Amino acid sequence: MPLTALATAASVPSPRRRRSALLLVPALAATLAVPGHASAAPAGPPAPVPAPAPAPAPGKQAVATGYGGAVATVDRDASRTAIEVLKKGGNAMDAAVAAGATLGVTEPYVAALGGGGYMTYYDAERRKVHTVDGRETAPKTMREDSFVDPATGRAIPFDQAVTSGLSVGVPGTVAQWDTALRRFGTRDLGTLLKPAIRVAERGFVVDQEFHDQTATNEARFRDIVPTGQLFLPGGEPPAVGSTFRNPDLARTYRELARRGPGWMYHGALGREIVRTVRKPPVDPGATRNVRPGLMQDGDLGAFRSRTPEPTRASYRGLDVYGMPPSSSGGSTVGEALNILNNFRLDSKDPVKALHYYLEASKLAYADRGRYIGDPDKVDVPLKELLSKDFARERACLIKPGQAATAPVAPGSPDGDYAPCVPPGGTARALTYEGPQTTHLVVADRWGNVVAYNVTIEQFGGSGITVPGRGFLLNNELTDFTLQPPAPGSPADPNLPGPGKRPRSSMAPTIVLEDGRPRLALGTPGGSTIITTVLQILLNRIDLGMDLPAALAAPRATQRNTPQVFAEQAFIDRYGAALADRGHLLAPFPGPPAGVIGAATGLEFLRPGVVQAVAEPVRRGGGSALVVRPAE
């Protein structure tokens, strides 16, 4: 049942380039739980409303409800930065960029100047959703076989591909910030970097998550001289409760504020990055094989952020917008929702709903692997993948009581559809995609909304720090398919190539009702991002949970693999019933083991009231804040 619109808030005059509008804030439908209250238990199988969540990590709150703007991130300092910008009159895009820069300090293993990301943005004045694509690109000399060892004819070992200059794509974060602020912001980049500079200079308190991420990377960090010097102070991972400072990054941010983005793409910082990629600063005593990269100065100068049209899918009366290719997030979420539109789902039978969710995901992932790549380099049939007719053709393959054996073959999004057409082509194995990224959401008092994924790929990216600059470089090019297909096999849209963007699963998502924002959400998690966003939407829209419950509920991910990987709480609750339908469930192997994603979201509840939601416990819990808390 769709969420029903109720009322509008008073308009607020907007200054130059600030996006203002009458903000329509829908009320909850009667069939959905009121935030903060449990739904009545229906007859039959128990509805999938989780038990009360454990308390958030110390100093963080997972849910905040109030007025004047809201933010949810994984980090308290980043959330405070966003709120500071909103209180000083900045808009949602200003706050998102400032928070992203702060995450570059406090979450340096997932967010950095050396990475990239995707943004979706709701412009309240024009009532339109936009995207900003800052995905990294491959150097112009990269070939389909650049990751293949000529001695074996096989792709080099994955760990060697990760910790190498070869894996480093041209960083897109700074160009993305520049494009986003010029088009949608009200503050300059230099101003928005100031909070992050303060945090870098003063330091932040090391929590268990930061310590564990450092310890996981300790061996390879030791082998890269500037990385070990920065992240292993005293030769060891920083202790929980200690203060971690990054004066090199503070100086880099200051110079970026003064010189602007051209310093990276046409100036000295870019040349330093290229030198580091081409000759990684490896400790002379290390035995690790850290391969040099292919990047050249001209690769940075050629980089451009993109602003493609978002994907759109209609679901239960809502419009769900997401990132188009090179991300597979928007197309795969949209296709799965279109498939689910063919079935009636409700909270009285959660096992049935979850069965259809898993089967729809399986089909959509098959099509993702076959058809999605960088649209500037390969032909992506995006319109057909998101068509209702193609979804009906795919949905006809789902059996109510029996899971299909995975992997299933992709469909044929060719515009010629009929009921129950057998799938065509050959199933493609799921390529590895590092789960270590981060996501934030921001809304401002004018009704603008940002959902923003930023990443450097693995925890710690390539492991290579630019000497004296305080930030790690990404390993995004390992998101390509590293091994070209055998002769005669179907073409792979995600092979490496010159100037090409590797496929991503990032899915910053904005949901509108009657043209006004209702929900915004996203998560880290590599290829599990898509299923996490899907499951949260299913929980919220079909299964009657409020957003905090929808986000905290135990998760499962089906990515067209023989097994459904799930968190233990999901297996405990639904494993037996889903096994009866033929699903093979196994604990999610990670990393981190047993934990799928670390989502953030927000919802407009009633006139003027926004609820921000972060993870209560996953990956140490997140931080939700509002400008003026509700009583």
Side-chain angles (χ1 to χ4, degrees):
M1 189 174 190
L3 308 178
T4 309
L6 178 67
T8 61
S11 61
V12 180
S14 61
R16 181 178 63 89
R17 293 166 59 208
R18 228 173 249 161
R19 310 306 186 209
S20 63
L22 294 177
L23 176 59
L24 184 68
V25 189
L28 296 177
T31 57
L32 298 183
V34 177
H37 299 276
S39 301
V49 178
K60 295 180 180 179
Q61 62 183 59
V63 181
T65 305
Y67 309 86
V71 60
T73 79
V74 298
D75 175 73
R76 182 175 53 180
D77 289 305
S79 294
R80 286 173 171 173
T81 290
I83 292 297
E84 175 186 333
V85 171
L86 294 176
K87 285 182 176 179
K88 291 181 177 178
N91 71 5
M93 187 59 80
D94 301 325
V97 169
T102 300
L103 287 170
V105 180
T106 59
E107 298 282 324
Y109 306 144
V110 296
L113 294 182
Y118 298 97
M119 291 175 171
T120 54
Y121 176 73
Y122 175 77
D123 181 336
E125 185 175 57
R126 293 174 176 80
R127 296 178 62 177
K128 181 176 172 59
V129 178
H130 303 266
T131 74
V132 186
D133 178 344
R135 182 65 160 168
E136 301 89 336
T137 57
K140 63 184 178 182
T141 57
M142 180 154 276
R143 308 179 311 272
E144 288 187 355
D145 61 354
S146 288
F147 285 95
V148 174
D149 184 343
T152 64
R154 304 295 301 171
I156 62 176
F158 188 75
D159 63 331
Q160 293 184 25
V162 168
T163 309
S164 73
L166 194 60
S167 72
V168 181
V170 177
T173 291
V174 173
Q176 182 183 40
W177 289 350
D178 182 53
T179 297
L181 293 175
R182 283 189 290 103
R183 290 199 61 181
F184 308 114
T186 72
R187 301 289 190 268
D188 63 84
L189 180 59
T191 299
L192 298 173
L193 289 173
K194 289 179 180 178
I197 292 169
R198 288 199 305 269
V199 176
E201 289 180 329
R202 298 174 184 173
F204 61 93
V205 177
V206 172
D207 61 10
Q208 190 66 50
E209 185 75 6
F210 186 85
H211 170 85
D212 291 348
Q213 289 177 13
T214 309
T216 298
N217 282 290
E218 182 176 357
R220 68 184 188 129
F221 281 7
R222 288 187 187 280
D223 289 345
I224 311 295
V225 175
T227 306
Q229 290 172 342
L230 176 60
F231 294 112
L232 300 173
E236 301 293 336
V240 174
S242 65
T243 298
F244 185 87
R245 297 179 176 86
N246 193 338
D248 284 350
L249 183 56
R251 286 191 295 270
T252 302
Y253 275 161
R254 276 205 187 87
E255 197 157 357
L256 178 62
R258 183 168 64 88
R259 295 178 179 268
W263 181 50
M264 173 174 281
Y265 295 100
H266 303 282
L269 180 58
R271 291 190 291 272
E272 292 176 37
I273 291 171
V274 170
R275 283 198 301 270
T276 305
V277 170
R278 295 185 69 86
K279 190 176 181 180
V282 180
D283 188 308
T287 59
R288 187 182 303 272
N289 183 6
V290 182
R291 289 172 170 82
L294 303 174
M295 193 182 299
Q296 301 175 16
D297 292 343
D299 292 319
L300 278 89
F303 185 88
R304 300 290 185 274
S305 59
R306 301 169 64 247
T307 55
E309 286 295 310
T311 61
R312 175 180 170 273
S314 296
Y315 188 68
R316 319 292 194 205
L318 304 170
D319 292 313
V320 181
Y321 289 87
M323 282 302 310
S326 57
S327 178
S328 64
S331 63
T332 312
V333 168
E335 181 185 345
L337 291 174
N338 286 339
I339 292 170
L340 289 172
N341 262 325
N342 292 277
F343 307 101
R344 294 179 62 87
L345 310 174
D346 63 56
S347 62
K348 293 181 180 179
D349 193 348
V351 172
K352 173 186 174 182
L354 290 168
H355 168 71
Y356 282 108
Y357 150 68
L358 295 171
E359 293 299 279
S361 297
K362 189 182 297 179
L363 293 166
Y365 270 82
D367 298 327
R368 165 192 180 270
R370 174 63 183 85
Y371 299 110
I372 301 298
D374 182 348
D376 289 343
K377 306 295 182 180
V378 297
D379 183 20
V380 179
L382 183 61
K383 180 180 177 181
E384 295 302 327
L385 286 170
L386 289 171
S387 71
K388 299 291 188 183
D389 290 338
F390 180 60
R392 280 192 289 271
E393 188 174 271
R394 298 296 270 158
C396 193
L397 301 174
I398 298 178
K399 297 179 181 179
Q402 181 62 45
T405 301
V408 299
S412 299
D414 54 11
D416 183 15
Y417 305 118
C420 291
V421 172
T426 303
R428 194 182 300 279
L430 180 71
T431 55
Y432 182 80
E433 187 177 339
Q436 296 83 4
T437 179
T438 191
H439 182 269
L440 63 90
V441 286
V442 185
D444 62 31
R445 56 177 164 162
W446 299 283
N448 304 301
V449 180
V450 178
Y452 178 23
N453 267 121
V454 60
T455 184
I456 60 171
E457 176 59 358
Q458 300 284 329
F459 282 136
S462 65
I464 301 171
T465 298
V466 181
R469 290 301 176 191
F471 65 89
L472 287 153
L473 293 170
N474 70 83
N475 67 290
E476 294 294 353
L477 302 188
T478 57
D479 277 353
F480 284 125
T481 304
L482 304 188
Q483 178 71 47
S489 300
D492 188 326
N494 192 42
L495 291 173
K500 192 175 182 181
R501 289 171 163 83
R503 182 173 61 213
S504 171
S505 295
M506 287 184 275
T509 302
I510 293 177
V511 181
L512 306 186
E513 184 173 20
D514 298 328
R516 304 293 189 183
R518 180 63 185 189
L519 299 165
L521 70 153
T523 183
S527 59
T528 70
I529 289 172
I530 293 163
T531 52
T532 296
V533 169
L534 270 171
Q535 192 174 354
I536 293 171
L537 291 172
L538 179 84
N539 291 343
R540 179 70 191 95
I541 298 167
D542 292 301
L543 297 183
M545 300 183 195
D546 62 22
L547 187 59
L551 197 141
R555 295 177 186 145
T557 180
Q558 169 50 271
R559 294 161 289 164
N560 199 26
T561 57
Q563 292 174 305
V564 175
F565 291 104
E567 295 176 335
Q568 189 59 48
F570 185 96
I571 295 172
D572 293 343
R573 187 171 300 171
Y574 305 114
L578 289 171
D580 287 343
R581 297 181 185 233
H583 296 280
L584 305 174
L585 276 75
F588 181 67
V595 177
I596 300 175
T600 52
L602 60 82
E603 178 169 354
F604 294 88
L605 297 180
R606 56 185 184 271
V609 180
V610 181
Q611 183 175 69
V613 184
E615 291 284 358
V617 293
R618 290 181 181 97
R619 299 196 187 182
S623 172
L625 296 173
V626 293
V627 172
R628 298 192 308 278
E631 293 182 2

